[in-house]
Amino acid sequence: MQLPIYFPLGLGALLFGIGLWGALTRTNAVRILMFIELMLNGVNLNLMTFTRYYYPENATGPILTLFVMTVAAAEASIGLAIILQIVRNRGTVEVDKVDLLKG
Amino acid sequence: MPIDLSSVNPNLLIILPPGVLAVFALVVLVLDLYSQEKRWLAGLSLVGVLLSLVALWFASRPGAVPPGDYFGRMVTADHFTFYMVAVLLVAAGLVILFSMDWVPRRLPKVQVEYYELVLFATLGMMFMAASRDVTLIYLGLELSSQASYILAGLLRNDPRSNEAALKYFLNGALASAVLLFGLSILYGLTGTTYLPEMLVALGQAPLPLLVTAMVFVIAGFGFKVAAAPFHLWAPDAYEGAPTPVSGFFSMAPKAAAWAAVLRVFLEGLSIPQVMDKWSVLYAVLSASSMLIGNLTALWQTNVKRMMAYSSVSHAGYILVGVAAAARAPEVGAGAVLFYLLSYILTNAGIWAALVALENQGEGTEMADFRGLAQRNPALAWSLLLLFVSLIGIPPTVGFFGKFFLFRAGVQAGYVWLAVLMAINSAISVGYYYAVVRNMFFEKTEKPRLELGSSLQAVVALSVLAVLVVGLGSSPVIQYAEAALGLLGR
């Protein structure tokens, strides 16, 4: 018996929701990055669920999922490089302490 | 001598402009390893952009590439693609030109990386504008965004640049995720990522889910184009990023994001049930962007930051055209396309002036503009003309851009929005005048401001274009309005 589609879709939405909540409320840059990755996993779960349940003969969903994963990896490496530079110059990863620019 | 292109595979021709750019980007990357002198590599990047424009001219000639989709429906050949790719290449060329003196001074160790990243970002944007498959639009968006994050942080030892990169990165990554979530729902509803097929399949989709997806997509793109209330990253990113990079941000990535917005909403989400909804949402975003952008810009003392808020307000003006495009597609989208060109041409000269100030070791505060009319009268008068264009006073290109947006708004029944745009243009006089007052009515002891030949070229091109494209706007707007007619609707 197949799981009703609401379960995986709900899990995807939940992952995305937790990610969005975390990304908007946390102040640690690394943590925000992790929450954003969680959002992307929710997206991927969505895409794969739709493909599996509705469009099993369709290749575009899995392809987009693969691209999202690849891009997320590139994004994480760039993000960590930027955060590393902040840590070197300012000694903090807290976003609310990085506040030279205001107005 | 006419060149016969009929025997050339159109797949190759349509991919030629980005292909040329990619080849040059890679060649420059390799030559960087073997070359001590870096300045000529900047010239080589510029040659790449120009050759890419030539390739585009070949591909866009009538009959060279029949309108349609190529490369497995990934790349589209139509007027819209040709127009936007040309605009983006012009923007990239101007950016490379006004960075040539700045980069060796401020980024001596990563000179070639700078041009490299500009080229790759432009490549991503070209695909964004050229595709009507959301997979490629997303990939192009990411290529251009990620290159931009690095560009923002290129001044590695400057904490302000680090901060700009961090804020731009976190907001950009969040926006991508939000956008993707909306796209994933759209894929679920339709089973395709190809926009015209999506349009057909959307008819049977349940409306609540469709509207949810639409809201996510609007929010995601809203971040990318810095429309209020999603604009909070923009002032920080513009102020902290290296000055030519901020200029690049205000010109190219936004134009590409607008192209993607038009594609996704006019080709994918243009069924009547949702059209009215996104039209109203965009009208609200437009009003808030204009008001917040303009009113906050009045209080700024840093010109880079002021230009950031100014770009938020200009995003608001452009949104008038996007909202209008739901009801009058040709006129609305044509006005948006024309405005993108006019904004890029105008902004190039202003950012070139900011770069010139930094080249002489000065800052970009309002006070640094004091007495500019004494120090370099030609530049001061050019800037005056460019500000006049940003405000939208005839006979400059900015006036015609605003006029077309206004006309589109009125035709689509958004009279209140069009009036609000006119009021906001009047408010914007306030902060542009602050710069002009400093330039003309303040005295200074500082020496003459020298521009250097490449910066002079950018300012001259910008001023010329503002006048020529303004007075000769009718062929451009006709082309821009026809661009949408060929979208295959």
Side-chain angles (χ1 to χ4, degrees):
Chain A
M1 192 194 102
Q2 211 175 22
L3 204 62
I5 189 167
Y6 304 106
F7 285 77
L9 278 189
L11 183 60
L14 189 69
L15 280 175
F16 182 83
I18 294 174
L20 187 60
W21 165 79
L24 293 176
T25 55
R26 300 294 108 171
T27 57
N28 183 313
V30 180
R31 234 179 245 206
I32 296 178
L33 188 57
M34 286 161 71
F35 276 113
I36 291 174
E37 298 293 320
L38 209 55
M39 291 166 77
L40 291 175
N41 285 334
V43 170
N44 283 342
L45 190 56
N46 252 358
L47 286 170
M48 289 317 293
T49 309
F50 283 129
T51 309
R52 175 79 178 71
Y53 281 75
Y54 292 156
Y55 319 108
E57 73 297 335
N58 202 331
T60 42
I63 289 174
L64 185 54
T65 311
L66 278 175
F67 278 133
V68 172
M69 285 162 63
T70 321
V71 167
E75 200 164 58
S77 67
I78 289 175
L80 288 174
I82 292 172
I83 294 170
L84 197 65
Q85 209 56 41
I86 292 257
V87 173
R88 278 195 189 141
N89 287 333
R90 306 286 302 275
T92 179
V93 286
E94 298 292 320
V95 177
D96 52 352
K97 294 207 179 85
V98 181
D99 54 359
L100 288 174
L101 304 167
K102 266 194 194 141
Chain B
M1 186 188 74
I3 305 167
D4 182 26
L5 292 171
S6 54
S7 58
V8 184
N9 188 332
N11 275 312
L12 291 180
L13 265 183
I14 188 65
I15 209 74
L16 199 58
V20 168
L21 202 68
V23 167
F24 267 83
L26 294 173
V27 166
V28 168
L29 193 65
V30 173
L31 285 177
D32 179 29
L33 297 174
Y34 301 103
S35 160
Q36 291 299 314
E37 175 57 45
K38 309 288 187 193
R39 200 180 156 89
W40 71 281
L41 287 173
L44 195 63
S45 316
L46 193 60
V47 170
V49 172
L50 292 177
L51 281 184
S52 184
L53 266 174
V54 173
L56 179 70
W57 175 73
F58 269 117
S60 66
R61 290 190 322 162
V65 185
D69 295 307
Y70 296 91
F71 273 94
R73 299 193 308 199
M74 280 290 164
V75 181
T76 305
D78 56 10
H79 279 42
F80 186 93
T81 299
F82 298 141
Y83 182 92
M84 277 315 299
V85 170
V87 167
L88 292 168
L89 283 172
V90 166
L94 289 170
V95 167
I96 292 178
L97 200 56
F98 73 47
S99 315
M100 278 173 150
D101 289 330
W102 187 92
V103 172
R105 283 170 217 216
R106 304 294 293 271
L107 296 169
K109 289 197 179 138
V110 287
Q111 290 186 38
V112 179
E113 283 81 350
Y114 174 90
Y115 300 110
E116 221 29 70
L117 289 166
V118 170
L119 290 184
F120 277 121
T122 312
L123 191 64
M125 290 175 229
M126 284 161 80
F127 280 118
M128 248 171 111
S131 181
R132 34 183 189 171
D133 191 297
V134 288
T135 312
L136 194 59
I137 292 180
Y138 167 69
L139 281 177
L141 178 74
E142 285 299 324
L143 178 55
S144 75
S145 305
Q146 301 201 1
S148 304
Y149 305 149
I150 311 176
L151 276 173
L154 264 186
L155 291 167
R156 276 178 296 184
N157 296 320
D158 177 359
R160 295 159 66 86
S161 177
N162 296 160
E163 183 177 336
L166 182 70
K167 287 183 172 163
Y168 192 21
F169 168 75
L170 290 177
N171 281 298
L174 186 69
S176 296
V178 170
L179 174 67
L180 266 177
F181 192 71
L183 293 181
S184 78
I185 299 177
L186 285 180
Y187 169 76
L189 294 174
T190 58
T192 176
T193 52
Y194 178 60
L195 290 169
E197 274 180 8
M198 199 181 263
L199 177 63
V200 175
L202 275 180
Q204 289 101 37
L207 200 57
L209 266 178
L210 187 50
V211 172
T212 314
M214 183 193 79
V215 170
F216 277 107
V217 173
I218 289 180
F221 277 128
F223 271 105
K224 295 288 176 191
V225 299
F230 307 111
H231 68 293
L232 292 168
W233 60 271
D236 289 342
Y238 277 54
E239 188 186 345
T243 303
V245 173
S246 312
F248 181 61
F249 289 170
S250 81
M251 289 153 66
K254 280 197 169 175
W258 286 117
V261 167
L262 287 180
R263 285 269 198 214
V264 170
F265 281 90
L266 287 178
E267 296 207 51
L269 292 170
S270 55
I271 59 169
Q273 300 95 299
V274 285
M275 253 180 144
D276 272 346
K277 296 197 170 55
W278 62 253
S279 178
V280 170
L281 270 177
Y282 272 130
V284 172
L285 276 186
S286 164
S288 69
S289 302
M290 285 193 275
L291 286 170
I292 293 177
N294 275 321
L295 294 177
T296 330
L298 287 173
W299 310 113
Q300 301 308 319
T301 54
N302 181 305
V303 178
K304 274 164 88 177
R305 206 175 173 85
M306 186 201 89
M307 288 304 290
Y309 282 110
S310 146
S311 89
V312 172
S313 70
H314 282 274
Y317 304 145
I318 294 173
L319 277 168
V320 175
V322 177
R327 297 175 188 169
E330 274 81 12
V331 187
V336 171
L337 291 182
F338 184 84
Y339 202 84
L340 292 177
L341 178 67
S342 93
Y343 188 62
I344 283 174
L345 293 176
T346 313
N347 255 15
I350 294 173
W351 285 97
L354 287 164
V355 173
L357 282 171
E358 282 209 341
N359 277 346
Q360 285 210 345
E362 295 167 43
T364 53
E365 297 294 320
M366 217 48 117
D368 291 303
F369 276 79
R370 271 188 201 144
L372 201 69
Q374 275 170 267
R375 305 177 60 195
N376 191 333
L379 180 66
W381 285 101
S382 306
L383 277 179
L384 178 64
L385 180 78
L386 296 176
F387 283 130
V388 160
S389 173
L390 279 187
I391 295 166
I393 298 173
T396 56
V397 70
F399 165 75
F400 290 98
K402 283 220 176 92
F403 170 74
F404 295 133
L405 286 173
F406 191 90
R407 193 183 61 174
V410 172
Q411 273 195 18
Y414 282 115
V415 179
W416 63 274
L417 205 56
V419 171
L420 194 65
M421 182 168 94
I423 295 172
N424 269 284
S425 302
I427 298 176
S428 74
V429 173
Y431 52 91
Y432 295 129
Y433 177 72
V435 181
V436 172
R437 192 195 61 226
N438 272 309
M439 287 196 301
F440 285 93
F441 303 124
E442 301 273 347
K443 298 272 177 276
T444 182
E445 302 296 304
K446 287 184 191 155
R448 190 181 153 74
L449 181 67
E450 294 299 339
L451 277 186
S453 53
S454 56
L455 282 172
Q456 273 171 354
V458 175
V459 175
L461 279 175
S462 182
V463 167
L464 257 181
V466 161
L467 292 172
V468 171
V469 181
L471 294 173
S473 59
S474 59
V476 183
I477 186 77
Q478 272 165 17
Y479 193 90
E481 285 184 358
L484 201 75
L486 291 178
L487 284 184
R489 28 183 38 251

